[in-house]
């Protein structure tokens, strides 16, 4: 094992709040690896900041809001997951046989969520899934759910309905071009008003809006919670509870979880790509809950 620390970073704006350095430092400590994981604020162009970092010896990085699309355009090669999401959150740098630097881009957000749903025994098979929100996070998780494909249907409800429709159209286009043989689980888009008037039922509710950040709830009638068995909020808190998971619990949803497991899961897959070694999720989650609680 090398004695000089491997240089890594997370790029974003803002970036100060990012938990990625803590998570990756914990992963590295578990296996006695020396890393130097920095936070890099992107104030202009992502590509310029990234080139500077890699010229300084960076071997890989994570990318957060609002740079994931710029990162997608920056990389020289990308995974199918990144193409499906049209966004990159992980870059691995290496040199090709001609000595040219190459940048491989991936999107590990969807894996992070999907892996967490499995860890939590989410009843995906045969279920009707409601994804609330159609922003960057929903874009990352939809291909992970479609790759599994065991659910009965996926409905996306969003304040801006057109964004949910565009998301579905771009997913259909991705699969038609890249995996035409894939049978997609049926997807539909709707508005919150459509749901007020509908008698649809969902077993699994996934909140991919940013509403919990401001302690607000999506405009969903109580019946949707009453019929659900599992609720997941991508947002996370030290206690593992959000306004959404609390609402679900109070209306009888038996299982409700926040998104810290997704965060750790996406980080674990990024780490594996840099070092070819998969970190342990459960011990990291336990550590991160303690860190967050101490900060609260
Ligand atoms: P975006 O800004 O890309 O999307 C925000 C989403 O929230 C959009 O669907 C938006 O609707 C909706 N929204 C925002 N405000 C309102 C409102 N007042 N009423 C109704 N809908 C609203 O954010 P991201 O997708 O990147 O992140 C979403 C959440 O996921 C955040 O809480 C973030 O912290 C969390 N997240 C967690 C991760 C994890 O690893 N656990 C990873 C990534 C994100 P509209 O399109 O109409 O604007």
């Amino acid at each position: 094992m090398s004695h000089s620390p491997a240089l890594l970073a997370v790029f974003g704006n803002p970036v100060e709040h990012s938990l990625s350095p803590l998570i990756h430092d914990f992963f590295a400590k578990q296996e006695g690896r020396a890393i130097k994981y920095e936070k890099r604020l992107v104030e202009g162009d992502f590509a310029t900041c990234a080139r500077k970092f890699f010229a300084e010896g960076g071997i890989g990085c994570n990318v957060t809001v609002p740079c994931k699309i710029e990162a997608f355009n920056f990389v020289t090669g990308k995974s199918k997951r990144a193409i499906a999401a049209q966004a990159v959150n992980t870059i691995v740098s290496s040199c090709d046989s001609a000595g040219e630097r190459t940048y491989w881009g991936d999107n590990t957000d969807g894996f992070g969520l999907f892996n967490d749903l499995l860890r939590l025994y989410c009843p995906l098979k045969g279920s009707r899934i409601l994804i609330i929100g159609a922003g960057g996070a929903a874009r990352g998780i939809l291909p992970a759910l479609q790759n599994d494909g065991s659910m009965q249907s996926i409905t996306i409800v969003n304040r801006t309905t057109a964004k949910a429709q565009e998301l579905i159209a771009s997913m259909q286009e991705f699969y038609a071009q890249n995996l035409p043989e894939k049978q997609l689980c049926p997807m539909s888009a709707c508005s919150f008003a459509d749901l007020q008037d509908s008698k649809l039922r969902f077993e699994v509710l996934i909140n991919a809006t940013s509403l919990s950040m401001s302690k607000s709830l999506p405009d969903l009638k109580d019946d949707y919670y009453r019929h659900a068995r599992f609720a997941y909020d991508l947002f996370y808190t030290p206690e593992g509870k959000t306004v959404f998971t609390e609402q679900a619990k109070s209306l009888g949803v038996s299982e409700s979880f926040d998104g810290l497991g997704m965060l750790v899961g996406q980080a674990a897959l990024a780490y594996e790509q840099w070092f070819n070694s998969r970190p342990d999720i459960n011990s990291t989650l336990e550590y991160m809950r303690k860190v967050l609680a101490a900060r609260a």
Side-chain angles (χ1 to χ4, degrees):
M1 198 169 286
S2 160
H3 290 291
S4 64
L7 180 61
L8 298 157
V10 54
F11 288 81
N13 188 349
V15 78
E16 204 37 52
H17 69 287
S18 173
L19 296 176
S20 293
L22 281 172
I23 297 175
H24 285 285
D25 284 345
F26 185 80
F27 289 159
K29 205 169 157 207
Q30 296 303 96
E31 55 173 20
R33 186 184 297 278
I35 67 165
K36 186 169 177 233
Y37 192 110
E38 300 179 348
K39 292 176 191 171
R40 298 240 172 162
L41 180 68
V42 179
E43 282 183 307
D45 166 39
F46 168 76
T48 308
C49 298
R51 278 203 192 90
K52 180 171 177 288
F53 168 74
F54 289 114
E56 288 166 20
I59 60 146
C61 68
N62 288 127
V63 183
T64 186
V65 178
C67 306
K68 292 183 189 181
I69 293 167
E70 274 186 275
F72 180 81
N73 294 323
F74 167 77
V75 293
T76 51
K78 44 186 93 92
S79 68
K80 287 232 162 86
R81 287 189 291 238
I83 297 168
Q86 297 281 298
V88 157
N89 78 337
T90 301
I91 298 178
V92 186
S93 169
S94 51
C95 281
D96 64 16
S97 51
E100 287 290 314
R101 197 167 268 287
T102 59
Y103 304 106
W104 176 252
D106 196 3
N107 188 312
T108 65
D109 285 335
F111 170 91
L113 172 80
F114 187 70
N115 218 30
D116 209 34
L117 294 179
L118 294 184
R119 184 182 69 86
L120 298 166
Y121 300 104
C122 174
L124 286 172
K125 197 163 180 231
S127 285
R128 292 161 294 184
I129 315 283
L130 179 66
I131 299 178
I132 309 155
R139 190 166 269 284
I141 64 182
L142 200 51
L145 292 174
Q146 279 293 4
N147 283 350
D148 172 69
S150 67
M151 50 287 309
Q152 190 184 128
S153 63
I154 300 174
T155 303
I156 305 175
V157 59
N158 197 42
R159 176 177 60 179
T160 317
T161 319
K163 272 173 69 179
Q165 287 162 339
E166 279 160 26
L167 176 53
I168 290 174
S170 90
M171 235 13 82
Q172 284 164 334
E173 191 186 327
F174 165 78
Y175 280 99
Q177 283 176 4
N178 293 281
L179 287 167
E181 67 287 357
K182 170 91 182 148
Q183 287 279 329
L184 290 184
C185 152
M187 292 181 278
S188 55
C190 64
S191 66
F192 286 102
D194 293 335
L195 285 187
Q196 286 299 335
D197 301 334
S198 125
K199 293 216 169 355
L200 288 171
R201 299 278 174 259
F202 305 98
E203 286 76 30
V204 176
L205 308 177
I206 299 176
N207 184 14
T209 69
S210 46
L211 281 165
S212 294
M213 282 171 147
S214 54
K215 295 198 167 28
S216 308
L217 284 166
D219 190 14
L220 268 191
K221 61 183 179 187
D222 293 353
D223 275 2
Y224 288 107
Y225 295 96
R226 289 205 180 97
H227 288 95
R229 291 164 56 200
F230 188 100
Y232 191 96
D233 194 345
L234 269 59
F235 186 64
Y236 49 81
T237 65
E239 318 78 48
K241 298 175 193 166
T242 71
V243 278
F244 179 76
T245 62
E246 288 299 281
Q247 171 82 345
K249 200 171 161 194
S250 73
L251 292 168
V253 181
S254 53
E255 307 280 351
S256 59
F257 301 94
D258 79 343
L260 191 63
M262 171 179 172
L263 183 76
V264 171
Q266 63 76 27
L269 183 60
Y271 187 94
E272 185 177 357
Q273 296 193 43
W274 299 324
F275 300 117
N276 204 20
S277 151
R278 178 160 309 183
D280 180 60
I281 306 256
N282 286 328
S283 57
T284 313
L285 254 175
E286 211 175 294
Y287 165 74
M288 288 307 297
R289 290 261 181 242
K290 280 192 199 142
V291 170
L292 288 175
R295 283 178 169 191

